C-alpha cells in the first residue's frame, strides 16, 4: 500500500457515504471504471413481446418472407435492447442482456426445425402409416399403374411396407446378435482383464476410430467383404447389411457398456473374490447383474442409432420389392431404404403422391420406433437401476 | 474508510428449509470478525449473505436487511454485481483461474470492473495487490506464469490479492486455511492481521485457535438440533468469548465438549 | 483405469494354476472380441483397398471424367469439405448458445428435458432429415437465395440462384441441423463440468452472468467445444442420405446457391445401385478417400478432447 494516490483523506472524499455504486477502484488513476447500475429485467421482456409483434407485422402486413421478418425483428430487438440497457444499467448490463437474448434465440432456433420436422412427418405420414393394408402388404407386383388407378379413383390403394418392416427387424436383430456379444466382451476385457495394458489402450483407440467410420463406408466394407467371399453376383444379402450395421453398432455398445461396468463399485468385486468365488463367476454373478440395467439401456440406444440407417444397407443389401425371409440370399428391404426409394424414385413419375405417401408413412414408423427405443432406454435405466448406485 | 456492517433480523431459507434464524449483529470497520460453530450451523451461509453470494444456490433467499454504511444490500434497486465489487470474497479452496497467468489473475476483477486501464496502472495495481497479499517477493519474477502452478498457500494468497485488487471495503473469507498446510496457514493468518488496517475482514473458521489468534470479535453459531435453523448464540469480543462466555453452549463448544 | 481391480494373480510357484473352464471361456471370449474389433478395422481398410485398386490403377481416360481417379474424386472432395465446413460454421454458434442455455440459463429441470429433446434430434434417421429438407425446407429457401443473388450476386458463392432450392447451401443447412445435437451434447457436458469454484470466483469479483461465463466457463470448456465441433464435422463429412436426397447433383461449382456440386457419400449412394465394373471400383475408392478424411478429423477431435484433462486445472 505504498502509492500515495492509494488513499485520499476522508475529508476530500467526494462521495456520499452511502453510495454503493462508487468504489475505491474508481479513484485509482489510469483506470476508467465501468460500473453496473441496477436494472430490472422487465424492459427486456416487454421489448421481447413488442418485437415478436413487430416480427408478426413484418411477416403478415408487409408480406415479408418469414425468415427475413424474424431476422429483422430479432436484429431490431438486439439493437433496442442494447440501447435501452446502456441507458438503464451501463455497458456491462447491456452486454449481459445482449448475450442472454442471443442464447435464448439460439435455443428457439434449434427447436424450430425439430418441430417442423416432426410436424411434417406426422402430418404426411399419419394417413397411411396405421392402415392395416399398408402394414400387411408388400410391393410385390405393385407398379405405377396401380398408383395411377388409385389416383383416378378406379382402384384401392395397394402396396405396403410389410417386407420392409420385417427386413428392418431381421437385419437389426442380426446386427444386435453380432454386436452385443462382441461389444460386451470387449467392454469386459477393457474393464476386468485389460487393466490399462497395451492391448486395452489400442483397443480403446481403435474403438474411437471405429466410432468415426462414416455409415456408407461401413456399407462399402460389408459389400467388399462379401464380394470377396461370395463373388460379386451373390454379395448382396441381409447378412451383409447386418455386418455393416455391426461395424456402426459395436463401438457404441463397447463405450456404453464400458461406462456401465466401470461404475460398478470395486468393493463388490473384492467382496466376491475374497469369498473365493472365481473371477468368471464374479463377473457373471456380481458385476453383470449389478450393471444390467445400464447395459440394457445402452444396448437399446445402440439399436436406436442403427435402426434408421439407410446408406450402408443401400450399398450392402440392395433393394427388394417383396418379402425375403432369408438373410443369406438376395436383397432385402428395410423401412429406411424403402422410404428413400419411394421418395426419390416414385413408382409412377406422373402420379407421385401414392409413393410419397408410402415414403412418409415409413418415415413416421421409423421415427416412432426411434423415439420409443429412446424412451425405453430411459425407462430401463430408471426402473431397474441398482438401489445403491451413486 | 472501510465500512461498518449492520445485520438486522436476517433469516435465510433454502426453498422451504429455514437455514439461519434471526441474526442481528454489528461488524465494526477495520476489524477482524470471526464466526465459529459446528458444521452445518449456517455460518458459511450467513457469510455468503453479506455479499449476496448465496444467490448462486437455486432457491436460496433471505428476509431482513444487511446494511453496509447504512445502505441496505437487499433494498430494491441494488444489483448483486455492485455489492460484490464492494464486498470481496475468498473461498475455502484456492481458485485461481486456470487459464490465466499470475498477473492476469490478480487483475481479473479489475478488468471486469473497468472500461480502460493503462498499462502503467495495471502494473502498479498488480504489484500493490500482490504486496498487500505478501506474495510479491515470491512471484515477481514469474508474473506471466500460470497461477495454477503455485503452491496451495501461494494460490490462496493470489486469490486474496485478486480480491483486494478491486479495492473492496469488506473482505469475506470462508475457511480460507482449511485446505492449507500449517506454514501456509500461518502466512495467511499474518496477512489477515495486516489486512485489517485497510479493510473490514470477516472470516469463517473451523479452527478455534485461529479465531482466537486473528480476530477482534467472535460470533458463535449453533443449531439446537438437526433440522432446526442455525442461530447466532453469542457475539462478543474474542477475549470474552474465549475466556468467560455468557452462554453455556459457547463454553461447551470452546472447551471442546462437543462439535 | 484407476477403477480397474488388480485381483491377486495366482502364484504359479505356490500351486499349479487351476484353469477353470469358466475363467478360460471368459478371458478368451473377451480377448477374442477385442481382437475381432481390431481385425474389423483392418478389414475395412484392406477390403476397400482391394476393391478400389482397379480404379486407382486404371488409365486416366477410362475413369469417369477422363482425368484419372484424382481428377474424378477431387471435385467431390471439395464439395464434401465445403458442405461440411459450412454446416460446422452454421451449427457451432447455435450449439454453444443452446449448451449455455441448458447449462447456465434454463432452470435445471427444464435444462434436463431440453437435453433429452436435443438427444432425440440426434436420433432422427438421416433419411427423414433428407425428406424433410427437400420437401419442406428447400422450397422455403428459394426466396432467400433469390435475394442473395440480387444483392450479393457479385460474390461468386451467390452467383446464380436455384429455383428448386436443392443446392449445396440447403444441404449444408440441413447438415448443420443434424450435427447441432452432437456439438450441443459435448459442449453442454463440459460447461456443466466447469468447477463452481471458478464460477464463484468470478461472481465474487463482481462479474455479471455473461462476464462470469466469459471468465470461467468458456476458457474451461473451449477445448471441449472445439472437440465437439470436430466430431460434428466428422459426422457431416460422412453424412449420406440427407445430401443425396436434397442435392440436385452436378459438376463442381463455387456457386453454393445453384444446382450442381456433389459430395462423396451422396455420389456413392446415388450411383452404387446401378454401378458395375470399374465404376463400382471408382465409388469404393471414393469411399476410401472419405474414410481417410473422416479418420483424420476424428483423430484430431479425440486428441483435442483428451487434452482437455490437462487444461482443466482442477486440482
Amino acid at each position: 500500500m505504498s502509492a500515495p494516490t492509494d488513499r485520499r483523506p476522508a475529508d476530500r472524499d467526494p462521495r456520499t457515504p452511502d453510495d454503493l455504486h462508487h468504489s475505491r477502484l474508481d479513484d485509482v488513476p489510469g483506470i476508467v471504471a465501468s460500473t453496473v447500475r441496477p436494472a430490472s429485467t422487465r424492459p427486456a421482456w416487454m421489448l421481447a413481446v413488442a418485437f415478436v409483434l413487430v416480427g408478426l407485422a413484418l411477416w403478415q402486413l408487409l408480406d415479408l418472407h418469414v425468415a427475413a421478418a424474424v431476422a429483422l425483428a430479432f436484429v431490431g430487438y438486439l439493437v433496442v435492447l442494447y440501447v435501452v440497457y446502456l441507458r438503464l444499467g451501463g455497458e456491462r448490463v447491456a452486454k449481459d442482456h445482449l448475450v442472454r437474448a442471443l442464447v435464448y434465440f439460439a435455443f428457439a432456433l434449434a427447436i424450430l426445425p425439430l418441430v417442423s420436422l416432426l410436424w411434417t412427418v406426422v402430418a404426411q405420414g399419419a394417413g397411411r402409416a396405421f392402415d392395416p393394408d399398408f402394414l400387411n402388404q408388400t410391393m410385390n407386383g405393385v407398379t405405377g399403374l396401380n398408383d395411377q388407378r388409385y389416383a383416378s379413383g378406379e382402384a384401392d390403394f395397394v402396396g405396403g411396407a410389410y417386407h420392409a418392416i420385417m427386413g428392418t427387424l431381421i437385419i437389426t436383430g442380426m446386427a444386435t446378435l453380432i454386436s452385443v456379444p462382441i461389444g460386451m466382451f470387449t467392454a469386459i476385457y477393457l474393464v476386468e482383464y485389460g487393466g490399462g495394458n497395451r492391448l486395452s489402450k489400442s483397443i480403446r483407440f481403435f474403438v474411437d476410430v471405429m466410432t468415426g467410420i462414416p455409415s456408407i463406408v461401413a456399407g462399402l466394407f460389408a459389400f467388399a467383404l462379401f464380394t470377396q467371399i461370395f463373388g460379386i453376383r451373390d454379395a448382396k444379402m441381409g447378412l451383409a447389411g447386418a455386418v455393416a450395421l455391426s461395424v456402426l453398432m459395436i463401438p457404441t455398445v463397447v463405450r456404453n457398456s464400458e461406462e456401465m461396468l466401470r461404475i460398478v463399485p470395486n468393493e463388490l468385486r473384492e467382496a466376491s473374490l475374497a469369498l473365493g468365488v472365481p473371477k468368471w463367476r464374479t463377473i457373471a454373478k456380481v458385476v453383470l447383474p449389478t450393471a444390467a440395467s445400464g447395459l440394457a439401456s445402452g444396448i437399446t440406444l445402440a439399436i436406436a442409432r442403427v435402426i434408421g440407417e439407410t446408406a450402408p444397407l443401400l450399398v450392402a443389401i440392395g433393394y427388394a420389392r417383396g418379402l425375403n425371409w432369408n438373410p443369406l440370399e438376395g436383397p432385402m428391404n428395410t423401412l429406411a431404404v424403402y422410404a428413400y426409394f419411394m421418395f426419390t424414385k416414385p413408382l409412377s413419375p406422373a402420379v407421385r403422391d401414392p409413393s410419397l405417401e408410402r415414403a412418409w408413412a415409413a418415415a413416421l414408423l421409423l421415427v416412432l420406433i426411434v423415439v420409443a427405443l429412446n424412451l425405453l432406454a430411459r425407462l430401463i435405466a430408471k426402473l431397474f437401476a441398482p438401489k445403491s448406485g451413486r | 474508510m472501510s465500512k461498518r456492517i449492520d445485520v438486522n433480523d436476517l433469516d435465510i431459507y433454502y426453498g422451504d428449509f429455514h437455514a439461519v434464524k434471526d441474526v442481528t449483529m454489528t461488524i465494526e470497520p477495520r476489524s477482524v470478525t470471526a464466526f465459529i460453530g459446528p458444521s452445518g450451523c449456517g455460518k458459511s451461509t450467513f457469510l455468503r449473505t453479506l455479499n449476496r453470494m448465496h444467490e448462486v444456490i437455486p432457491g436460496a433467499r433471505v428476509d431482513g436487511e444487511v446494511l453496509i454504511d447504512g445502505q441496505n444490500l437487499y433494498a430494491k434497486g441494488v444489483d448483486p454485481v455492485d455489492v460484490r465489487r464492494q464486498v470481496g470474497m475468498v473461498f475455502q479452496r484456492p481458485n485461481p483461474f486456470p487459464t490465466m497467468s499470475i498477473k492476469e489473475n490478480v487483475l481479473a476483477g479489475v478488468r471486469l470492473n473497468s472500461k480502460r486501464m493503462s498499462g502503467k496502472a495495471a502494473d502498479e495495481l498488480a504489484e500493490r495487490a500482490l504486496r498487500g497479499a505478501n506474495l510479491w517477493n515470491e512471484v515477481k519474477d514469474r508474473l506471466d506464469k500460470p497461477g495454477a502452478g503455485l503452491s496451495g498457500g501461494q494460490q490462496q494468497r493470489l486469490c486474496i490479492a485478486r480480491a483486494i485488487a478491486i479495492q473492496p471495503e469488506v473482505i469475506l473469507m470462508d475457511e480460507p486455511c482449511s485446505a492449507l498446510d500449517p506454514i501456509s496457514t500461518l502466512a495467511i493468518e499474518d496477512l489477515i492481521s495486516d489486512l485489517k488496517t485497510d479493510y473490514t475482514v470477516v472470516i469463517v473458521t473451523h479452527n478455534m485457535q485461529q479465531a482466537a489468534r486473528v480476530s477482534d470479535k467472535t460470533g458463535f453459531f449453533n443449531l439446537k438440533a438437526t433440522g432446526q435453523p442455525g442461530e447466532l448464540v453469542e457475539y462478543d469480543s474474542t477475549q470474552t468469548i474465549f475466556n468467560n462466555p455468557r452462554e453455556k453452549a459457547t463454553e461447551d463448544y470452546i472447551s471442546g465438549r462437543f462439535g | 483405469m484407476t477403477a480397474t481391480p488388480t485381483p491377486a494373480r495366482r502364484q504359479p510357484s505356490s500351486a499349479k494354476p487351476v484353469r477353470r473352464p469358466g475363467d478360460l471361456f471368459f478371458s478368451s471370449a473377451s480377448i477374442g472380441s477385442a481382437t475381432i474389433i481390431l481385425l474389423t478395422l483392418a478389414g475395412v481398410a484392406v477390403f476397400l483397398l482391394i476393391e478400389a485398386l482397379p480404379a486407382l490403377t486404371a488409365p486416366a481416360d477410362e475413369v469417369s471424367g477422363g482425368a484419372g481417379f484424382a481428377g474424378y474424386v477431387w471435385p467431390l472432395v471439395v464439395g464434401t469439405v465445403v458442405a461440411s465446413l459450412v454446416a460446422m460454421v452454421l451449427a457451432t454458434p447455435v450449439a454453444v448458445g443452446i449448451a449455455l442455455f441448458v447449462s447456465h440459463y434454463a432452470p435445471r429441470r427444464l435444462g434436463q428435458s431440453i437435453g433429452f429433446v436435443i438427444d432425440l434430434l440426434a436420433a432422427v434417421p438421416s433419411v427423414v432429415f433428407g425428406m424433410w429438407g427437400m420437401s419442406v425446407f428447400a422450397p422455403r429457401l428459394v426466396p432467400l437465395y433469390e435475394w442473395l443473388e440480387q444483392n450479393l450476386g457479385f460474390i461468386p458463392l451467390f452467383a446464380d440462384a436455384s429455383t428448386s432450392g436443392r443446392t449445396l447451401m440447403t444441404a449444408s443447412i440441413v447438415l448443420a441441423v443434424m450435427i447441432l445435437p452432437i456439438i450441443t451434447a459435448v459442449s453442454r457436458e463440459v460447461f456443466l463440468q466447469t468447477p463452481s469454484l471458478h464460477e464463484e470466483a468470478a461472481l465474487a469479483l463482481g462479474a455479471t452472468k455473461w462476464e462470469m461465463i466469459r471468465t470461467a466457463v468458456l476458457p474451461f470448456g473451449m477445448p471441449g467445444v472445439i472437440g465437439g465441433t470436430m466430431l460434428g464435422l466428422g459426422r457431416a463429412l460422412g453424412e449420406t442420405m440427407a445430401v443425396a436426397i436434397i442435392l440436385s447433383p452436378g459438376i463442381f461449382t463455387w456457386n453454393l446457391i445453384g444446382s450442381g456440386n456433389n459430395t462423396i457419400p451422396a455420389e456413392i449412394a446415388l450411383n452404387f445401385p446401378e454401378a458395375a465394373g470399374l465404376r463400382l471400383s471408382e465409388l469404393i475408392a471414393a469411399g476410401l478417400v472419405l474414410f481417410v478424411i473422416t479418420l483424420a478429423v476424428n483423430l484430431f477431435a479425440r486428441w483435442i478432447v483428451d487434452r482437455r484433462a490437462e487444461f482443466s486445472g482442477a486440482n
Side-chain angles (χ1 to χ4, degrees):
Chain A
M1 303 292 147
S2 50
T5 47
D6 187 16
R7 299 274 172 274
R8 293 180 188 181
D11 54 347
R12 279 204 280 140
D13 191 351
R15 295 172 290 147
T16 50
D18 60 349
D19 184 4
L20 256 177
H21 304 317
H22 196 101
S23 88
R24 303 199 284 209
L25 189 62
D26 306 344
D27 304 330
V28 179
I31 290 181
V32 182
S34 178
T35 49
V36 168
R37 292 191 296 279
S40 123
T41 53
R42 195 178 297 151
W45 289 112
M46 279 158 46
L47 278 175
V49 172
F51 273 90
V52 167
L53 294 178
V54 168
L56 283 176
L58 286 174
W59 178 36
Q60 287 297 334
L61 301 180
L62 290 179
D63 211 21
L64 245 58
H65 189 253
V66 66
V70 170
L72 270 179
F74 184 61
V75 171
Y77 173 62
L78 290 183
V79 170
V80 175
L81 184 79
Y82 190 80
V83 171
V84 165
Y85 275 98
L86 202 58
R87 289 194 62 107
L88 286 178
E91 194 188 333
R92 297 171 59 199
V93 177
K95 254 188 203 151
D96 196 43
H97 276 279
L98 200 66
V99 173
R100 186 181 294 265
L102 285 170
V103 163
Y104 277 66
F105 188 70
F107 169 65
L109 206 60
I111 292 299
L112 217 60
L114 182 70
V115 170
S116 162
L117 183 133
L118 289 179
W119 168 250
T120 309
V121 175
V122 171
Q124 306 270 358
R128 193 57 68 189
F130 308 109
D131 176 356
D133 284 345
F134 178 76
L135 295 173
N136 287 315
Q137 290 178 358
T138 70
M139 294 303 288
N140 232 350
V142 181
T143 65
L145 275 177
N146 295 85
D147 281 359
Q148 283 168 18
R149 268 194 236 122
Y150 164 69
S152 59
E154 294 164 33
D156 284 342
F157 189 91
V158 288
Y162 178 64
H163 59 310
I165 297 171
M166 287 306 135
T168 302
L169 295 181
I170 293 170
I171 290 167
T172 316
M174 285 172 62
T176 310
L177 286 182
I178 299 172
S179 313
V180 168
I182 294 180
M184 289 256 282
F185 273 112
T186 305
I188 290 175
Y189 178 78
L190 290 177
V191 177
E192 308 288 338
Y193 289 96
N197 64 13
R198 189 169 270 201
L199 179 63
S200 70
K201 270 191 192 128
S202 56
I203 290 168
R204 211 167 271 129
F205 173 78
F206 284 112
V207 166
D208 274 353
V209 170
M210 222 170 158
T211 315
I213 294 183
S215 59
I216 194 152
V217 172
L220 290 176
F221 157 69
F223 175 78
L225 176 71
F226 278 67
T227 304
Q228 291 296 318
I229 300 174
F230 296 96
I232 194 149
R233 284 181 180 284
D234 304 317
K236 292 195 174 179
M237 60 168 89
L239 184 63
V243 167
L245 290 189
S246 299
V247 171
L248 301 171
M249 200 173 162
I250 287 173
T252 323
V253 175
V254 174
R255 298 210 120 218
N256 291 351
S257 308
E258 193 192 347
E259 212 169 288
M260 288 304 139
L261 292 179
R262 260 192 210 300
I263 58 175
V264 174
N266 254 337
E267 291 78 9
L268 286 182
R269 293 188 182 89
E270 283 161 7
S272 171
L273 290 170
L275 290 172
V277 180
K279 181 158 187 169
W280 74 273
R281 280 189 74 92
T282 304
I283 296 173
K285 297 279 173 186
V286 177
V287 178
L288 292 183
T290 313
S293 72
L295 293 172
S297 139
I299 291 166
T300 315
L301 284 177
I303 296 175
R305 199 200 134 184
V306 298
I307 204 164
E309 281 293 352
T310 318
L313 303 180
L314 198 66
V315 168
I317 309 186
Y319 179 74
R321 304 171 68 95
L323 185 60
N324 174 10
W325 285 106
N326 185 0
L328 295 178
E329 197 189 340
M332 294 176 79
N333 208 333
T334 66
L335 276 172
V337 177
Y338 178 86
Y340 170 68
F341 270 95
M342 281 298 151
F343 191 79
T344 55
K345 298 183 172 61
L347 291 183
S348 159
V351 185
R352 300 163 55 96
D353 279 351
S355 290
L356 292 184
E357 248 180 70
R358 293 187 194 104
W360 284 113
L364 176 59
L365 289 179
L366 211 50
V367 169
L368 285 178
I369 293 173
V370 168
V371 171
L373 285 172
N374 270 280
L375 289 174
L376 182 69
R378 286 212 133 191
L379 208 65
I380 294 173
K382 223 180 196 158
L383 287 186
F384 302 105
K387 301 284 179 288
S388 62
R390 263 182 290 172
Chain B
M1 186 91 104
S2 52
K3 293 186 174 178
R4 160 195 160 103
I5 307 172
D6 295 284
V7 181
N8 296 329
D9 302 325
L10 195 77
D11 287 271
I12 309 169
Y13 303 87
Y14 289 125
D16 294 334
F17 176 62
H18 197 171
V20 178
K21 200 175 91 180
D22 200 19
V23 177
T24 300
M25 63 160 52
T26 296
I27 295 168
E28 295 299 332
R30 299 194 186 204
S31 69
V32 177
T33 304
F35 297 153
I36 58 171
S39 304
C41 65
K43 54 192 190 303
S44 288
T45 308
F46 174 70
L47 187 78
R48 284 176 162 245
T49 60
L50 299 184
N51 72 342
R52 297 181 67 169
M53 276 300 285
H54 70 286
E55 287 170 15
V56 173
I57 301 151
R61 66 197 162 84
V62 301
D63 245 2
E65 50 183 21
V66 176
L67 306 170
I68 292 195
D69 269 14
Q71 171 95 2
N72 185 5
L73 298 188
Y74 292 95
K76 234 186 166 160
V78 174
D79 196 318
V81 170
D82 230 353
V83 172
R84 292 169 196 154
R85 205 164 68 116
Q86 312 283 329
V87 185
M89 188 158 195
V90 176
F91 296 84
Q92 205 165 349
R93 281 174 57 194
N95 53 0
F97 297 118
T99 50
M100 294 184 188
S101 71
I102 292 174
K103 187 176 167 192
E104 284 168 348
N105 257 296
V106 175
L107 295 176
V110 185
R111 286 213 194 282
L112 289 178
N113 286 296
S114 60
K115 276 198 201 73
R116 268 194 311 280
M117 174 166 44
S118 70
K120 186 160 152 278
D123 290 343
E124 280 176 11
L125 205 58
E127 178 174 345
R128 208 158 69 212
L130 284 167
R131 280 190 195 282
N134 286 339
L135 194 60
W136 174 250
N137 287 328
E138 291 159 64
V139 301
K140 66 180 175 207
D141 301 322
R142 44 172 174 161
L143 289 175
D144 294 324
K145 296 277 182 311
L150 299 174
S151 77
Q154 287 173 325
Q155 285 189 22
Q156 192 63 300
R157 276 180 284 151
L158 179 61
C159 294
I160 295 175
R162 183 174 65 187
I164 59 182
I166 55 171
Q167 320 275 317
E169 308 284 351
V170 180
I171 298 179
L172 308 178
M173 297 188 174
D174 188 359
E175 301 186 30
C177 304
S178 64
L180 303 182
D181 61 83
I183 294 179
S184 308
T185 302
L186 205 64
I188 303 274
E189 286 181 7
D190 286 347
L191 178 55
I192 291 173
S193 316
D194 293 347
L195 286 176
K196 76 171 172 185
T197 54
D198 282 300
Y199 306 95
T200 308
V201 180
V202 185
I203 172 173
V204 163
T205 176
H206 258 312
N207 180 335
M208 276 178 283
Q209 285 73 38
Q210 184 169 67
R213 279 195 297 268
V214 301
S215 70
D216 304 305
K217 292 190 91 173
T218 298
F220 172 60
F221 281 80
N222 198 7
L223 28 76
K224 290 213 171 70
T226 3
Q228 294 285 311
E231 49 191 290
L232 179 63
V233 176
E234 190 169 355
Y235 176 56
D236 214 323
S237 78
T238 304
Q239 283 277 335
T240 318
I241 292 277
F242 280 88
N243 294 331
N244 55 22
R246 262 182 298 118
E247 300 286 332
K248 179 82 167 54
T250 315
E251 195 181 342
D252 286 352
Y253 185 74
I254 299 293
S255 55
R257 242 166 280 169
F258 85 101
Chain C
M1 272 156 269
T2 49
T4 326
T6 44
R9 289 259 165 78
R10 283 181 222 93
Q11 296 295 318
S13 56
S14 58
K16 273 252 183 297
V18 190
R19 269 292 180 193
R20 289 190 187 80
D23 271 335
L24 199 64
F25 169 75
F26 253 72
S27 59
S28 47
S30 296
I31 295 178
S33 304
T35 320
I36 288 178
I37 289 186
L38 300 186
L39 287 178
T40 308
L41 213 64
V44 171
V46 169
F47 284 108
L48 287 186
L49 206 57
I50 293 176
E51 292 290 317
L53 219 53
L56 297 176
T57 53
D61 55 334
E62 284 178 24
V63 179
S64 307
F69 179 70
Y72 160 71
V73 85
W74 181 243
L76 293 174
V77 169
V78 177
T80 311
V81 171
V82 168
S84 308
L85 283 179
V86 172
M88 188 185 88
V89 168
L90 291 176
T92 304
V94 180
V96 170
I98 303 168
L100 280 178
F101 180 79
V102 171
S103 66
H104 284 85
Y105 283 89
R108 188 168 301 177
R109 297 255 3 195
L110 181 65
Q112 277 170 355
S113 17
I114 292 167
F116 178 65
V117 170
I118 301 278
D119 287 347
L120 218 55
L121 192 62
V124 172
S126 58
V127 64
V128 181
F129 269 109
M131 290 162 65
W132 169 78
M134 186 194 142
S135 61
V136 178
F137 198 54
R140 302 268 155 86
L141 286 174
V142 172
L144 175 69
Y145 292 157
E146 281 166 356
W147 184 86
L148 280 174
E149 184 193 354
Q150 279 163 20
N151 295 285
L152 297 169
F154 56 91
I155 305 172
L157 296 178
F158 307 124
D160 188 16
S162 144
T163 49
S164 67
R166 296 176 61 188
T167 69
L168 198 68
M169 191 69 185
T170 310
S172 295
I173 299 175
V174 174
L175 284 179
V177 176
M178 295 178 71
I179 64 175
L180 200 63
I182 299 171
I183 307 178
T184 305
V186 179
S187 310
R188 181 188 64 194
E189 276 316 301
V190 288
F191 289 162
L192 283 172
Q193 281 170 14
T194 312
S196 56
L197 278 174
H198 298 149
E199 295 181 7
E200 291 188 345
L203 289 176
L205 291 172
T208 60
K209 185 156 205 157
W210 160 237
E211 287 163 347
M212 182 273 282
I213 289 171
R214 207 187 56 198
T215 324
V217 179
L218 291 185
F220 177 83
M222 200 42 82
V225 173
I226 294 172
T229 306
M230 286 289 149
L231 287 180
L233 180 65
R235 169 89 194 268
L237 286 168
E239 178 46 51
T240 312
M241 298 325 290
V243 182
I245 294 176
I246 291 167
L247 201 57
S248 128
I251 54 159
F252 174 76
T253 155
W254 278 112
N255 177 20
L256 297 183
I257 60 170
S259 54
N261 285 323
N262 208 350
T263 70
I264 294 178
E267 167 90 359
I268 299 172
L270 290 173
N271 295 299
F272 202 86
E274 278 92 40
L278 190 62
R279 182 78 182 117
L280 201 60
S281 177
E282 276 172 20
L283 293 177
I284 291 177
L288 192 62
V289 172
L290 177 71
F291 179 47
V292 172
I293 296 175
T294 49
L295 193 66
V297 170
N298 280 301
L299 290 184
F300 187 59
R302 280 291 153 210
W303 181 67
I304 287 182
V305 173
D306 290 345
R307 235 169 41 135
R308 191 173 60 77
E310 298 161 35
F311 259 83
S312 70
N315 30 21

